[in-house]
Amino acid sequence: MVTLKKIEKKIGVIERYAEFLPVTTKTPIISLNEGNTPLILAEALPAEIGLKNVKIYLKFEGLNPTGSFKDRGMTMAVSKALEKGAKAIMCASTGNTSASAAAFASRCGLKCFVLVPEGNIAKGKLLQAFRYGAKVIVVKGNFDQALELVKTITSTTDIHLVNSLNPDRIQGQKTAAFEICDDLGDAPEYHAIPVGNAGNITAYWMGYKEYQKAGRSGRLPKMLGFQAAGSAPIVKGHPIEKPETIATAIRIGNPASWKGALLARDESGGLIEAVTDEEITWAYRFIAEREGVFAEPASAAAVAGVKKLAERNYFKPGTTIAVTLTGSGLKDPDFALSFKDELIPVEPVLEKVKKIIGA
Ligand SMILES: *Cc1c(COP(=O)(O)O)cnc(C)c1O
């Protein structure tokens, strides 16, 4: 008789990094084996942007169970919500938070309500929320307005907030910094990341600091945050009422973790800058067409930012840059198909196919 061995390896981020997280043996762990995403060495990018003797690693968060880094925070937020006796959770979302919330809620029988801004959510994310069984409410407004509504509802009812204002989200998300240190043997000199609601840059900085303090890494990286030019409140120094960008995941005019982003920037000696939609689009195509890594437009903002800084000779030789690619390119099929790609029709005839491929 064959007996199947129980998988005993520590797999989800809570199990792997429990000593760094606010969990106890009583916390019910709701996990989809999130995290443990690959750190991929960029082969073509450094030379393309004129970087000699600098290594760029792509932390591909698109390979999380729902296709974005949001799963790291959601496993924590949902586990803690359950521990506190929650029956329902709620979030405002540009898409990925709702997909992740819906998945983790479905796994443990919680009700899930998501508020998304009308017209500015990528199709892949919306269909995930539906398929995981969430109630999807479309707000005729933008993300910032949806978040205000969610804040009011969750503070006046027993529905649990799972936006990154919930500190458990940030706790879970910091595990990505731990993984990078574990993979590289130390923190990188620089860490580039897109900034929307600014929870993730806050989380990474917290993670790098905690790991160093615990003696698990030696140095701290400079945090390099990038917003889209049409929705760059932190760069401009004031909220943006009508944020615009093709990178819908960072189309946010009044980031909830604004202060956390400034702290990460200033304590680390880094910077937060803006990149245009054209620069984002270039980076989006380059990493897919030349590195074989298909990430969504918001993720590409970080690559665009690295290119921009490289052109200013910002990076010291002999250093390492980690770049968070926050979500999968499959999330946004409309953007992916917005280029002039051509299908080449042919009859099933050998000679005709050979002619097309020049063989
Ligand atoms: C949520 C998200 C971001 C922005 O992260 P913040 O924590 O809101 O700054 C960037 N890219 C993708 C793909 C996201 O889902």
Side-chain angles (χ1 to χ4, degrees):
M1 204 178 81
V2 183
T3 46
L4 294 176
K5 241 188 173 173
K6 210 175 138 207
I7 298 172
E8 283 173 35
K9 227 172 77 184
K10 293 188 175 176
I11 29 190
V13 298
I14 297 179
E15 287 153 303
R16 287 176 69 202
Y17 296 111
E19 63 189 290
F20 292 95
L21 296 169
V23 290
T24 68
T25 48
K26 293 204 183 74
T27 310
I29 297 175
I30 308 303
S31 171
L32 286 162
N33 302 8
E34 63 294 319
N36 202 13
T37 54
L39 191 64
I40 304 166
L41 181 66
E43 302 277 357
L45 184 61
E48 176 72 21
I49 63 178
L51 284 180
K52 287 190 201 89
N53 196 18
V54 172
K55 285 201 169 104
I56 302 176
Y57 286 94
L58 308 172
K59 178 67 170 163
F60 190 28
E61 292 287 278
L63 290 180
N64 273 295
T66 77
S68 86
F69 74 84
K70 299 298 198 296
D71 294 340
R72 294 178 184 276
M74 207 54 75
T75 180
M76 271 298 299
V78 169
S79 298
K80 294 299 283 184
L82 263 196
E83 186 177 358
K84 291 172 195 151
K87 298 281 183 288
I89 59 172
M90 186 176 210
C91 62
S93 179
T94 61
N96 281 331
T97 298
S98 56
S100 187
F104 283 88
S106 92
R107 199 162 170 80
C108 61
L110 281 176
K111 268 208 190 100
C112 180
F113 302 103
V114 305
L115 262 66
V116 298
E118 183 178 44
N120 284 297
I121 161 163
K123 219 173 258 165
K125 305 175 187 181
L126 194 58
L127 69 86
Q128 281 180 295
F130 282 128
R131 292 284 65 76
Y132 292 130
K135 288 255 182 302
V136 180
I137 301 155
V138 180
V139 178
K140 295 179 199 291
N142 61 30
F143 170 83
D144 302 285
Q145 294 167 309
L147 183 58
E148 280 310 311
L149 289 166
V150 168
K151 273 160 53 179
T152 306
I153 293 167
T154 53
S155 61
T156 53
T157 65
D158 59 3
I159 302 174
H160 263 65
L161 170 87
V162 294
N163 276 103
S164 58
L165 284 163
N166 176 335
D168 297 323
R169 282 273 312 277
I170 307 287
Q171 290 290 328
Q173 285 172 207
K174 75 187 180 187
T175 59
F178 300 164
E179 289 178 11
I180 291 173
C181 294
D182 288 345
D183 283 354
L184 294 177
D186 200 347
E189 276 87 355
Y190 307 95
H191 189 108
I193 185 167
V195 174
N197 220 13
N200 215 23
I201 189 170
T202 302
Y204 270 88
W205 183 235
M206 184 189 283
Y208 280 125
K209 283 196 296 185
E210 287 182 11
Y211 231 41
Q212 190 208 37
K213 201 167 167 207
R216 304 273 280 263
S217 56
R219 62 179 168 233
L220 291 170
K222 289 188 190 306
M223 298 302 297
L224 314 174
F226 298 98
Q227 300 195 292
S231 54
I234 298 175
V235 178
K236 298 236 163 87
H238 58 80
I240 305 294
E241 207 169 313
K242 293 206 167 84
E244 280 303 338
T245 170
I246 48 127
T248 51
I250 53 172
R251 194 173 180 275
I252 293 174
N254 193 11
S257 298
W258 195 316
K259 283 195 188 129
L262 294 183
L263 188 80
R265 180 193 69 187
D266 297 340
E267 280 188 349
S268 76
L271 47 80
I272 297 179
E273 295 200 0
V275 287
T276 64
D277 279 3
E278 290 69 36
E279 291 167 325
I280 291 172
T281 303
W282 176 89
Y284 168 86
R285 294 192 65 165
F286 187 88
I287 53 171
E289 293 169 19
R290 299 286 304 282
E291 298 287 359
V293 180
F294 188 25
E296 67 175 280
S299 312
V303 175
V306 168
K307 177 171 188 274
K308 199 171 154 180
L309 296 185
E311 283 160 3
R312 298 209 303 252
N313 290 321
Y314 175 84
F315 300 106
K316 292 204 177 76
T319 55
T320 295
I321 310 167
V323 182
T324 303
L325 297 180
T326 44
S328 165
L330 292 171
K331 294 272 193 174
D332 195 344
D334 291 316
F335 186 73
L337 289 169
S338 66
F339 305 94
K340 288 201 183 86
D341 299 321
E342 270 181 71
L343 292 171
I344 307 164
V346 68
E347 282 139 71
V349 176
L350 180 62
E351 285 314 313
K352 292 192 175 178
V353 178
K354 281 174 93 174
K355 194 169 165 216
I356 291 172
I357 63 178

